[in-house]
Amino acid sequence: MIFKLSSKNRLIHASSWTICILYFILSYFLLWWDLRPQPISPYEPLIGALSITTCCYLIYSTLQYYLPRKNQYLKITLICLILTLMSIGLSLFFLNQFFDDLSLTHFYEVLPYRFIINFLLLLCAIIINIFWNIQEEYEDNKKRKEESERILRDAELYNLRQQLQPHFLFNSLNSIIALIGVKPEEAKNMTFQLSDFLRGTMRKDDKQLISLKDEIAHLRLYLDIEKVRFGHRLSTAFQIGEEIDETKVPAMIIQPVLENAIKFGLYNIIGDVEITIDIHTSNYLLFITITNPYDSDQFETKKGTGFGLSSIRRRLFLLYGRTDLLETSMTNNIFTTTLKIPQYD
């Protein structure tokens, strides 16, 4: 706002004194042309230039926030006409009081031309002021719109993240309940792990992007909980490139993909299941590829609502404005989910 005000003040001073100088030069030249070879005084051009400059400052001070509505152009013309008469009246007053008859006589001779020139110059000053006000209002509206959109986007992102939590939480609590009777020690460990996981989730609620290192640590905690639930049937393999130390990812963007992989991999298949997580970078993109087996005969009946992947796709669009950052494929009973996270400098 300070920069905006200072910029407008510079415009006011620059335009007003530019008009003053040009008006003086033009008036002096016309006076010399009409009265040559007689010696001429600069008083008449100077008084006229200072009068028109005073009216310009009146325009900027009185119309600083004025924006004309439709059908108000007559009002602008009337304001300009009044200020034109004021500028001529000021010139006449000072010439009558302080200066010679020759300047006053010449002033009356060129009065119609002076009136037209003053009117056009003041009309230009009014138009400049109005256009500046319109530009300021446009910039203010644009900033307010961007701010409101940012707030709405953050609220939607928060809601999407929160909606992903209950499903995992309820499953974990059910598993703890089931373990209390038969394996109380494992139920106790799982409770501690769930507590640590939720505590880490709460710490990330105010962050959109976190380091991949922190995200992987959070994922390992999540997988430890799931391994308590499924025992030896679940195994995971991380393949992480060496160049990912400084990469950033949206908080908790990978966990629902893993949850999806576990759901389809272990619920539909009898026996051990391995889920692989491959992470590498290429062309300023972080690729996170998660693969899991699935039973093609049961996939259609067990696939559910698909809320997890659709919410991830929505989050990525809100954050990066792209719809191609989540891809899935099914080949030879292997389901592959690929996340692409842009990495900006």
Side-chain angles (χ1 to χ4, degrees):
M1 188 64 181
I2 294 174
F3 174 77
K4 182 187 292 185
L5 290 175
S6 63
S7 298
K8 189 168 186 176
N9 288 334
R10 285 197 296 268
L11 174 70
I12 290 172
H13 294 305
S15 59
S16 297
W17 288 106
T18 299
I19 289 174
C20 179
I21 294 170
L22 293 177
Y23 192 95
F24 174 80
I25 293 173
L26 178 62
S27 298
Y28 190 85
F29 173 77
L30 292 176
L31 182 64
W32 171 82
W33 184 266
D34 290 340
L35 299 181
R36 69 184 193 282
Q38 301 180 51
I40 59 172
S41 170
Y43 295 128
E44 181 198 339
L46 183 60
I47 289 296
L50 292 175
S51 298
I52 199 76
T53 303
T54 302
C55 291
C56 287
Y57 275 106
L58 283 174
I59 288 173
Y60 290 124
S61 61
T62 56
L63 302 180
Q64 186 173 5
Y65 302 106
Y66 175 69
L67 289 175
R69 299 177 183 175
K70 292 182 179 179
N71 304 322
Q72 285 193 336
Y73 302 108
L74 181 61
K75 183 177 180 180
I76 296 173
T77 305
L78 183 61
I79 293 172
C80 186
L81 183 61
I82 292 172
L83 289 171
T84 302
L85 293 173
M86 184 184 298
S87 66
I88 292 176
L90 285 172
S91 298
L92 279 172
F93 173 77
F94 285 107
L95 287 173
N96 274 308
Q97 294 294 321
F98 303 108
F99 302 111
D100 56 90
D101 293 336
L102 181 62
S103 296
L104 190 61
T105 302
H106 179 265
F107 186 89
Y108 280 114
E109 289 176 356
V110 297
L111 185 59
Y113 305 104
R114 190 179 295 273
F115 179 87
I116 294 173
I117 292 172
N118 287 15
F119 180 83
L120 294 176
L121 284 174
L122 292 173
L123 184 62
C124 288
I126 290 175
I127 291 173
I128 290 172
N129 185 80
I130 290 174
F131 270 105
W132 185 272
N133 292 340
I134 291 173
Q135 180 66 22
E136 281 188 332
E137 185 182 50
Y138 171 78
E139 293 295 333
D140 289 340
N141 289 338
K142 183 179 178 182
K143 288 181 179 179
R144 284 195 297 268
K145 182 180 179 182
E146 289 176 350
E147 180 66 14
S148 63
E149 289 177 348
R150 184 190 65 79
I151 293 172
L152 288 173
R153 184 175 66 249
D154 290 346
E156 185 175 354
L157 285 168
Y158 178 80
N159 287 333
L160 286 171
R161 285 171 55 184
Q162 294 304 107
Q163 290 171 12
L164 291 171
Q165 293 303 313
H167 182 265
F168 163 71
L169 179 59
F170 294 150
N171 285 342
S172 299
L173 290 174
N174 289 333
S175 298
I176 291 172
I177 293 171
L179 288 171
I180 287 175
V182 293
K183 297 180 180 179
E185 192 62 30
E186 288 189 13
K188 179 181 177 181
N189 292 336
M190 190 173 179
T191 303
F192 286 133
Q193 291 169 339
L194 181 61
S195 175
D196 292 338
F197 177 83
L198 294 177
R199 189 179 297 111
T201 300
M202 293 176 65
R203 283 198 298 267
K204 296 176 183 178
D205 278 346
D206 59 343
K207 299 179 181 179
Q208 290 296 353
L209 297 177
I210 64 172
S211 69
L212 180 61
K213 181 180 179 181
D214 291 341
E215 181 74 358
I216 291 175
H218 197 63
L219 286 177
R220 293 188 187 278
L221 188 56
Y222 163 74
L223 290 173
D224 288 340
I225 297 172
E226 293 292 64
K227 287 176 182 178
V228 174
R229 290 180 58 202
F230 295 103
H232 67 277
R233 289 190 58 214
L234 173 63
S235 62
T236 56
F238 282 87
Q239 300 171 4
I240 303 175
E242 297 179 355
E243 70 280 6
I244 54 87
D245 291 340
E246 303 299 325
T247 54
K248 299 286 186 179
V249 296
M252 296 186 64
I253 196 72
I254 307 175
Q255 184 257 324
V257 180
L258 271 177
E259 186 174 352
N260 195 66
I262 292 171
K263 173 183 176 182
F264 291 129
L266 281 95
Y267 288 3
N268 301 335
I269 295 176
I270 299 174
D272 296 346
V273 169
E274 181 180 65
I275 295 174
T276 62
I277 303 99
D278 179 78
I279 303 174
H280 66 279
T281 58
S282 178
N283 297 325
Y284 299 100
L285 284 175
L286 176 69
F287 289 85
I288 303 169
T289 303
I290 298 175
T291 60
N292 62 274
Y294 72 95
D295 187 343
S296 58
D297 293 334
Q298 301 181 35
F299 182 77
E300 293 298 326
T301 59
K302 297 284 188 178
K303 67 178 181 179
T305 63
F307 172 77
L309 294 182
S310 64
S311 66
I312 294 169
R313 185 175 282 108
R314 178 64 178 165
R315 278 189 68 192
L316 292 172
F317 174 76
L318 290 171
L319 287 170
Y320 301 105
R322 292 175 55 175
T323 58
D324 62 337
L325 299 179
L326 174 63
E327 297 177 353
T328 59
S329 63
M330 294 179 287
T331 306
N332 298 325
N333 286 6
I334 297 295
F335 190 89
T336 303
T337 305
T338 301
L339 295 172
K340 293 180 285 186
I341 311 298
Q343 301 298 308
Y344 302 116
D345 294 336

